[in-house]
Amino acid sequence: MLIANVIEMLDGKGGTKAPDTTLWREHLHAATMVGRVASAATAVQLGYGIEADCGPSGKLGHWKVCGIPDAALAVHSKRSVEISDAVAEKGFSTYQARRVAARETRKQKRHSSVEELVPRWRAELTTAGFPPEQLVADIEQAGLAYQRQHHQGFEILGNRALTAMGEDMLGPTGTLSARKVFAKRDVIVAVAPMVFGLPVTELDKATTCVLRDPDAIPLGGVPRASEQAFSTAHVIATELAIEQAVERGVENREAARVSPEVAAGAVGRQSAVLGSPLTPGQLAAVLGITTSGRGVELVEGVAGSGKTTVMAAVRDAFETSGYAVVGTSTSGQAARTLGREAGLSESRTLASLRWRLEHDRMRLTRGHVLVLDEAGMAADRDVSFLLDQARLAGAKVVMVGDDRQLGAVSVGGAMGALVERHGGIVHTLDQNVRQRNDAEREALAELRAGSVPRAVGFYLDQGRVIIERSRNEALDTLVDQWAEDVLAGKDVAMFA
């Protein structure tokens, strides 16, 4: 028998391809959760009680036997302590760092017989104050209580429970609404902890129920999809609301605007501050934003293209004509930078601005211009809210960003889709004015285009990347070189 080691592609191109490690990695978590459901069901059948085990991170998604104190578990969790110590020594605390430490500190195990190990383990527990006989009694008691509460482990999911599970997974704040696209494997991972202790068949039943829910929308033509992709109705509705709000804002010509003379004056003052004229792209953006009267403006700029310079001139023009310009961004650092460099008297995080609007601490009017910086990093839900508030008040929104840079932490991506759909009216800043060296500009362009190896190769060739053995040593080297440059009178910044 010959079995072809290929998979069917369910994207727009179709066909088959040979699987790679990415495919196995995508399904590894789901396969792990299936195993955990099966082992939990077996434990219940054997008379044990089980409970959720979220782990130190709160995201473990596992289960543990009831009746065993955490302190007793710690007696035989030496490996975990060893990894934690190794991570602390390097100065890190992330999950990725723990994985690296686990590999680096793994020792070859010495084979010991069960007859040798069990007496030692029992002695260690007794010394720690947990006699095995008492532990067994506590576990049995917890198991009996669990069996009574869960009908001797013969529970199955009824229609009401399945419906509630679908609503929980697919609702506005549901696990699956926290991502743009999901597949069956993601549903398995999300549902599994909710069926621990039930027969394994209940996992398949729950997964099928969620995928057949009307709020789970099948998608077609998803790039690189190896199985059917879905999105939630809430995610799609939010995307549609953003598109409709921008469409109305682009068509609206009654929002904030200034005369060409005022705009030209702002450009002149900003050029004087810079000591050089604005680039053609910057000039066109300032004049377009300030004189169009559109309710929504889109500005896409590559790194170093002078987006903040443009916003400084825009702020000058609108304030000169009596408008109030408010800045906002996802991160506090970006909001502060926008406020400082663009001269905005009010610039706050998007979360803070949203809270103030929701609690009537601030009211938008036709006299407001909102500048949303780093729009590519903003969550769709927040963008939709901001656009809706501005529309109701008649305020103008200027969305500034680059979808090729950092993406949203939560469900986002609106900026990229809007730029693609409304390309004709997007103010594009494609000239890097920050880097003076042509090779540096090319390296940044490579990064933006996704050619990371070529870009990193440039920095390696230039001696821009220094590798140390640990985080603390890297920080020491960073501070030493920074201090040396400062003492030499150089203009230098340090980031860590």
Side-chain angles (χ1 to χ4, degrees), residues 134-149:
Q134 184 60 50
L135 274 178
V136 170
D138 292 342
I139 292 170
E140 291 177 346
Q141 188 65 31
L144 290 172
Y146 182 92
Q147 299 291 331
R148 286 194 299 269
Q149 182 180 354

Side-chain angles (χ1 to χ4, degrees), residues 50-113:
I50 65 168
E51 59 183 325
D53 181 7
C54 299
S57 67
K59 300 178 181 179
L60 180 60
H62 213 327
W63 60 271
K64 60 184 177 181
V65 174
C66 297
I68 305 178
D70 290 340
L73 292 173
V75 173
H76 291 146
S77 298
K78 299 182 180 68
R79 180 65 179 141
S80 177
V81 174
E82 185 180 47
I83 293 172
S84 297
D85 291 343
V87 169
E89 182 181 349
K90 294 289 186 179
F92 291 95
S93 59
T94 64
Y95 172 72
Q96 290 81 359
R98 290 186 64 85
R99 293 181 62 182
V100 173
R103 290 195 299 268
E104 292 182 347
T105 60
R106 185 179 290 117
K107 302 181 182 68
Q108 185 175 0
K109 291 188 175 181
R110 181 177 64 85
H111 178 71
S112 300
S113 66

Side-chain angles (χ1 to χ4, degrees), residues 205-219:
K205 182 198 296 185
T207 300
T208 301
C209 182
V210 171
L211 291 176
R212 290 179 177 175
D213 191 289
D215 283 345
I217 311 298
L219 304 176

Side-chain angles (χ1 to χ4, degrees), residues 237-252 295-297 383-392 395 397 399 418 422:
T238 303
E239 292 176 347
L240 181 60
I242 292 173
E243 168 55 27
Q244 291 176 341
V246 171
E247 190 74 38
R248 287 192 295 263
V250 168
E251 293 174 354
N252 172 28
V296 176
E297 304 280 357
V383 173
S384 177
F385 173 83
L386 192 65
L387 290 171
D388 191 51
Q389 291 288 307
R391 178 184 62 83
L392 293 173
V397 177
M399 297 177 62
L418 293 172
H422 299 280

Side-chain angles (χ1 to χ4, degrees), residues 54 67 94 137 150 157 169 271 291 314 347 393 436 446 459 485:
C54 299
T94 64
H150 295 273
L157 295 169
M169 295 284 107
S271 297
T291 63
V314 167
S347 183
R436 307 291 178 86
E446 296 284 5
Y459 295 116
D485 288 342

Side-chain angles (χ1 to χ4, degrees), residues 168-217:
D168 183 53
M169 295 284 107
L170 301 166
T173 60
T175 304
L176 298 174
S177 287
R179 57 178 71 209
K180 277 280 192 182
V181 177
F182 64 89
K184 181 178 180 179
R185 60 179 179 268
D186 302 306
V187 179
I188 291 173
V189 172
V191 167
M194 305 175 74
V195 299
F196 282 158
L198 303 183
V200 181
T201 53
E202 296 303 292
L203 174 59
D204 186 57
K205 182 198 296 185
T207 300
T208 301
C209 182
V210 171
L211 291 176
R212 290 179 177 175
D213 191 289
D215 283 345
I217 311 298

